[in-house]
Amino acid sequence: MTTTPPARTSPQGTPPQGTPPARTPLGALPPREHLRLGQTEIVLDVVIPVHNEERDLEPCVRRLHDHLARTFPYGFRITIADNASTDRTPEVAARLDDAIDEVTAVRLEQKGRGRALRTVWTLSEAPVLAYMDVDLSTDLNALLPLVAPLISGHSDLAIGSRLARSSRVVRGPKREFISRTYNLILRGSLAARFSDAQCGFKAVRGDVAERLLPMVEDSGWFFDTELLVLAERAGLRIHEVPVDWIDDPDSTVHLVRTATDDLKGVWRVGRALATGGLPLDRLARPFGDDPRDRELSGVPGGLARQLVGFCVVGALSTLFYLALYSLFRLGVGSQLANAAALLVSAVINTSANRRLTFGVRGRERAVRHQAQGLVVFAIGLALTSGSLAALDIATGTPTHGTELAVLVTANLAATVLRFLLFRAWVFPDAERRADLDAPQPAAPTGPDHHPGTPNDLTRSAR
């Protein structure tokens, strides 16, 4: 038994037939296409992560293998990912590896479902990667509908949903409550739109996994939730399949510890998304293979998302500006208070829009962007100062409430103009595309390339 990661091999231990698709550069993903099935012998790699499952492992693998052999029309592999089991699980896995050609067993010396999936999926040459729990709670008839949209190029990820209207689920009220509460938390805190984050029945395209896995930090049960949230925020398409699901009463999952870890993960991912610390532009997809989709005119790319981001930043900036104005107004006149408050809020607004709304990162051209932002600030200052001057002429001694109302109205007009200038002049599409197409630093490789990646991955002895 070796102590280094195994090379990519077929289930028989020989190099795979054909040449796997070339790795794409770290710019945006290419358009979705139907998989070219002749490029690789293995189309689907189903991973079963296990820890101390000596009793359930063999019936699970044999049932899954029989189902795939009867119903799946392409080459497949079943990979048993043993997470540091201390019982006879490694022996059972090795025996199945020897007995069935399409079964491969690997062993990790550290626990963690996310760690196992990341490791095996990273090493796999299959264009479609899936996983399911060893208890096979999900009806296997949903497996082909799960992976078909990925093979066809329609979707990037696929998940089984126990919360879909047509799903049939048998489980106790405690797990039902926990599952629905968790998904409500995801919707409220991370704006997740997928319905079921925790169902152990998911699949992802290999080219998407290559980009997405290095961004996922968790190595435990929160792994798939983080994977889905990042994919959804990047605009990838997630296909949901209603499933029939029967709860395993002997499940060894520690609910309280898992829930605590999941809440910590929600906080960490939410903070990273709020600060723009994730390069989600590397996961962007263009339109499909219809030539008309690539020559759309008059429809600015990402306009809806940018409008939402700009409005959020603008609303917060306006509140900050009004608070500063009220504070400065205690010691100076209205014109000076307005100019100072607007200047401070404009610098912060430009920085926030640069990173969060228009996706420009790094220090390059940051000074120029701030200078252009100050020009936009000067235009806003002219609008708001002119409004205050007109109010003074019209009323003589306006009340503080009237001043604020006029300033809000003037700022709304300035905001519309600011967005147009930001989009067309300060952060134009051509510049953002140049940032995206620029060479990116190579991602680290090797067993230590990512937090939580195991240092000791061994192939089970035959």
Side-chain angles (χ1 to χ4, degrees):
M1 186 176 293
T2 62
T3 58
T4 57
R8 298 189 177 194
T9 59
S10 68
Q12 293 78 15
T14 57
Q17 298 292 325
T19 303
R23 291 176 177 265
T24 52
L26 289 180
L29 282 165
R32 300 182 191 92
E33 294 181 353
H34 194 293
L35 293 178
R36 299 177 182 178
L37 302 177
Q39 285 190 323
T40 178
E41 179 184 353
I42 305 298
V43 173
L44 173 65
D45 193 347
V46 183
V47 181
I48 303 176
V50 291
H51 175 73
N52 290 346
E53 298 286 356
E54 61 181 4
R55 186 184 66 177
D56 294 336
L57 179 56
E58 183 164 358
C60 162
V61 170
R62 291 193 178 276
R63 180 181 163 198
L64 175 59
H65 178 266
D66 177 69
H67 177 84
L68 288 170
R70 288 186 295 104
T71 64
F72 194 69
Y74 309 113
F76 66 88
R77 175 169 62 229
I78 301 171
T79 301
I80 304 168
D82 174 24
N83 291 260
S85 294
T86 56
D87 62 359
R88 294 181 56 255
T89 297
E91 300 173 26
V92 177
R95 185 169 66 247
L96 290 167
D97 191 331
D98 281 336
I100 306 174
D101 288 342
E102 291 82 9
V103 173
T104 296
V106 297
R107 176 171 172 81
L108 291 81
E109 298 300 336
Q110 294 174 281
K111 290 179 61 177
R113 181 178 68 175
R115 176 179 289 110
L117 293 176
R118 180 190 294 114
T119 302
V120 176
W121 282 355
T122 300
L123 294 171
S124 179
E125 80 282 1
V128 177
L129 309 167
Y131 96 89
M132 62 181 59
D133 292 335
V134 69
D135 55 21
L136 292 186
S137 296
T138 305
D139 181 15
L140 291 178
N141 287 325
L143 183 55
L144 186 55
L146 183 81
V147 301
L150 309 186
I151 295 174
S152 70
H154 174 270
S155 300
D156 300 295
L157 299 92
I159 64 174
S161 175
R162 298 163 297 184
L163 303 180
R165 188 176 298 275
S166 58
S167 297
R168 297 183 297 179
V169 176
V170 178
R171 63 176 166 181
K174 180 180 179 180
R175 286 181 175 270
E176 181 77 12
F177 174 78
I178 291 174
S179 179
R180 291 188 178 275
T181 301
Y182 180 64
N183 282 283
L184 285 175
I185 291 174
L186 292 181
R187 288 175 177 269
S189 60
L190 299 179
R193 295 190 298 273
F194 47 85
S195 66
D196 191 351
Q198 294 177 309
C199 182
F201 195 70
K202 297 183 176 71
V204 59
R205 282 178 63 106
D207 56 348
V208 174
E210 182 183 343
R211 305 285 188 86
L212 191 53
L213 291 178
M215 300 183 192
V216 180
E217 292 187 19
D218 191 80
S219 59
W221 292 97
F222 187 69
F223 172 86
D224 12 0
T225 298
E226 186 172 356
L227 187 84
L228 292 173
V229 169
L230 298 185
E232 187 175 74
R233 285 299 186 94
L236 299 181
R237 182 173 294 158
I238 301 174
H239 178 72
E240 296 198 15
V241 178
V243 297
D244 297 340
W245 195 87
I246 300 177
D247 188 21
D248 177 15
D250 298 324
S251 174
T252 58
V253 177
H254 193 289
L255 294 179
V256 176
R257 183 172 62 244
T258 300
T260 302
D261 292 341
D262 286 348
L263 291 177
K264 291 178 180 178
V266 169
W267 168 256
R268 175 176 53 78
V269 172
R271 183 176 57 185
L273 292 172
T275 59
L278 295 167
L280 297 181
D281 49 359
R282 296 184 183 181
L283 299 172
R285 285 277 198 193
F287 285 96
D289 58 359
D290 188 333
R292 294 172 300 176
D293 292 337
R294 303 183 187 183
E295 299 174 0
L296 292 175
S297 59
V299 182
L303 177 59
R305 183 191 63 78
Q306 291 175 2
L307 275 172
V308 172
F310 183 82
C311 288
V312 171
V313 172
L316 295 176
S317 298
T318 299
L319 292 176
F320 182 63
Y321 158 78
L322 292 174
L324 285 179
Y325 176 81
S326 299
L327 179 63
F328 294 157
R329 188 68 175 83
L330 297 176
V332 298
S334 61
Q335 291 288 2
L336 185 57
N338 172 63
L342 196 59
L343 176 61
V344 174
S345 60
V347 172
I348 296 175
N349 180 276
T350 299
S351 297
N353 277 306
R354 181 178 188 268
R355 182 158 187 167
L356 302 180
T357 303
F358 298 97
V360 180
R361 296 178 175 84
R363 297 182 179 180
E364 186 177 0
R365 295 190 296 273
V367 175
R368 191 190 75 181
H369 291 156
Q370 283 293 349
Q372 292 173 311
L374 290 177
V375 174
V376 177
F377 150 74
I379 297 174
L381 178 62
L383 283 174
T384 53
S385 298
S387 300
L388 284 176
L391 179 64
D392 288 336
I393 294 174
T395 62
T397 55
T399 65
H400 183 62
T402 304
E403 285 183 351
L404 289 180
V406 170
L407 286 174
V408 169
T409 304
N411 265 287
L412 288 176
T415 296
V416 175
L417 181 60
R418 187 183 305 123
F419 177 76
L420 296 176
L421 289 174
F422 272 173
R423 184 175 176 83
W425 180 49
V426 183
F427 310 111
D429 282 339
E431 182 177 292
R432 293 197 300 277
R433 284 196 298 269
D435 286 339
L436 184 62
D437 295 336
Q440 303 287 340
T445 58
D448 295 322
H449 80 282
H450 192 279
T453 300
N455 294 323
D456 189 6
L457 171 66
T458 60
R459 185 181 175 92
S460 296
R462 291 183 178 271

